[in-house]
Amino acid sequence: MYKIAVIPGDGTGPEVAREAVKVLGAAADACGFKYESTEFDFGGDRFLATDEVLPDSAVTELRGFDAILLGAIGHPDVKPGILEKGILLRLRFELDLYINLRPVKLYPGVETPLAGKGPDDIDFVVVRENTEGLYAGAGGFLKQGTPDEIAVQESINTRKGVERCLRYAFEFTRKRNRGNTLTLCGKTNVLTYAFDMWERAFNEIGETEFPAIKRDYAHVDATCMWMVKNPEWFDVIVTDNMFGDIITDLGAMVQGGMGIAAGGNINPESVSMFEPIGGSAPKYTGKGVINPMAAISSCQMMLSHLGEDEAADRVERAIVHVLSNKLESMSAGAMGYSTSEVGDLVGEAVANPPA
Ligand code: IPM
Ligand code: MN
């Protein structure tokens, strides 16, 4: 019996989370596992009503679950940063979700803006460090608000933090067993301290612990170029928090848009949290037009993380079926179906896998 925490969150978050839970139910019925879901109302509305972003007890309570499914965080009436830092980033830090795993996979039937590229060319995974770097919050103001103001924002890179991320990435590349190539994405020509350490650790760990994995390196700017020009060159990319944030938005576009891009915030030893990588899309809220595929894909990643491989596989095949035979577009309002109809279609395909 899995205990799943659901944080629907803001905007279209609840609409997409509902469809992810629907598909989870279909997978449980089809594969014979049991789960119990508990909903938490963290988000903008709760904050506006109670002034509380995330109660301290929440973090402790969430540790008692097997996994967390998150819809979206970000509310138009709340100053940017409060909810993102107070909920999403706080959970990433306090639950020590040190890996942000973001597959960039073009499914058949999904349009990519890259001319001449298809599903065979676009299938790689970004392993983003998720608890350090520029996101650590180190820095501050001096003489704030004066003409002499100074703002410092530092990137924190610990040897331990870098090593555990790299080991996860090497291990992941080995298990994936596709190209057996891990690319370190950095900026060793300018960030000569942080990425010097990343590069040394990368080569040391690779050489001694993962000799069968081919090591590659690309600067972050070049990575952006190759992701567009030759995405087929990538198998697994490992990078720091900030670069990972940026290149995975590019990755999301390459794989067909925010409607389809999923991710997992992972602590390999403890509870992990799965979320669509797009935001709360306030302008589509409550209209039933948002694409829930990214949330459904996140649910598939969760099943795979829980070791429910058969269920994960069934959900992925259902997603592929619906994407290639049903949806007219990945964009909100243009799918040819409502949000909940898309969830129904995937659920049906999970229950009765099409030949
Ligand atoms: C993401 C988001 C978050 C991030 C924001 C909402 C804090 O952009 O998950 O990629 O920067 O990590
Ligand atoms: Mn982002």
Side-chain angles (χ1 to χ4, degrees), residues 23 28 43 49 51 69 81 93 101 125 131 147 153 162 167 174 179 226 239 254 258 284 305 315 319 326 333 345 353:
V23 171
D51 235 22
L69 259 182
F93 291 137
L101 192 65
V125 179
T131 53
Q153 190 102 43
V162 168
R167 279 202 177 84
R174 174 158 73 188
W226 300 129
T239 192
V254 163
M258 285 301 181
Y284 296 121
H305 180 79
V315 171
I319 290 171
K326 306 282 181 185
L345 287 170

Side-chain angles (χ1 to χ4, degrees), residues 4-343:
I4 309 294
V6 181
I7 307 176
D10 301 315
T12 51
E15 290 165 68
V16 299
R18 196 176 304 129
E19 302 316 309
V21 173
K22 188 188 277 176
V23 171
L24 175 64
D29 289 345
C31 299
F33 66 86
K34 296 212 176 334
Y35 73 96
E36 172 189 275
S37 65
T38 309
E39 209 168 292
F40 292 87
D41 67 349
F42 312 131
D45 289 333
R46 179 193 164 113
F47 170 67
L48 292 170
T50 66
D51 235 22
E52 185 173 58
V53 183
L54 190 73
D56 290 331
S57 62
V59 179
T60 318
E61 208 180 325
L62 287 171
R63 281 203 186 95
F65 285 81
D66 294 301
I68 306 165
L69 259 182
L70 179 105
I73 295 294
H75 194 292
D77 302 333
V78 180
K79 199 176 148 221
I82 294 182
L83 302 170
E84 292 86 341
K85 277 189 158 177
I87 301 175
L88 190 59
L89 297 184
R90 188 162 162 221
L91 289 177
R92 286 179 185 171
F93 291 137
E94 292 200 20
L95 297 173
D96 204 18
L97 308 174
Y98 62 87
I99 297 298
N100 200 324
L101 192 65
R102 296 185 161 182
V104 178
K105 182 168 180 173
L106 179 68
Y107 283 118
V110 177
E111 205 179 320
T112 174
L114 303 188
K117 300 292 178 191
D120 289 342
D121 306 304
I122 301 169
D123 186 356
F124 60 94
V125 179
V126 177
V127 176
R128 164 187 175 186
E129 200 291 322
N130 212 27
T131 53
E132 301 194 338
L134 281 166
Y135 280 69
F141 294 112
L142 267 174
K143 304 179 185 173
Q144 189 182 7
T146 74
D148 297 320
E149 179 163 8
I150 298 171
V152 177
Q153 190 102 43
E154 282 179 314
S155 176
I156 303 297
N157 297 264
T158 68
R159 181 79 192 204
K160 277 185 188 163
V162 168
E163 283 195 1
R164 67 181 181 174
C165 174
L166 289 170
R167 279 202 177 84
Y168 181 92
F170 274 113
E171 195 64 59
F172 183 87
T173 309
R174 174 158 73 188
K175 287 207 187 106
R176 176 172 153 92
N177 195 22
R178 191 167 188 270
N180 286 294
T181 304
L182 180 62
T183 303
L184 172 64
C185 162
K187 190 72 186 173
T188 52
N189 52 348
V190 176
L191 307 181
T192 51
Y193 309 124
F195 279 101
D196 184 78
M197 186 171 81
W198 272 86
E199 196 176 38
R200 276 183 284 116
F202 179 66
N203 287 326
E204 283 165 27
I205 292 172
E207 203 175 300
T208 57
E209 299 170 37
F210 301 90
I213 302 299
K214 191 168 164 267
R215 295 191 300 279
D216 196 6
Y217 173 83
H219 294 317
V220 62
D221 45 353
T223 302
C224 291
M225 179 176 74
W226 300 129
M227 276 172 68
V228 171
K229 196 171 177 294
N230 293 98
E232 67 279 4
W233 286 358
F234 293 116
D235 178 18
V236 181
I237 299 176
V238 61
T239 192
D240 83 347
N241 210 341
M242 187 79 257
F243 291 166
D245 178 47
I246 297 167
I247 69 170
T248 54
D249 264 30
L250 178 57
M253 290 305 116
V254 163
Q255 73 179 121
M258 285 301 181
I260 184 86
N265 299 272
I266 292 172
N267 177 331
E269 291 89 41
S270 182
V271 61
S272 297
M273 178 168 81
F274 298 82
E275 53 164 348
I277 90 168
S280 57
K283 72 175 174 184
Y284 296 121
T285 302
K287 299 199 161 79
V289 296
I290 196 80
N291 188 344
M293 277 301 186
I296 294 171
S297 267
S298 309
C299 176
Q300 179 226 318
M301 290 181 74
M302 178 179 85
L303 288 168
S304 158
H305 180 79
L306 291 170
E308 292 295 331
D309 294 335
E310 190 206 331
D313 197 54
R314 237 174 139 110
V315 171
E316 186 169 31
R317 278 185 284 130
I319 290 171
V320 169
H321 170 75
V322 173
L323 289 175
S324 40
N325 298 292
K326 306 282 181 185
L327 294 207
E328 287 161 23
S329 155
M330 292 301 108
S331 308
M335 298 184 290
Y337 297 91
S338 70
T339 304
S340 77
E341 283 170 342
V342 173

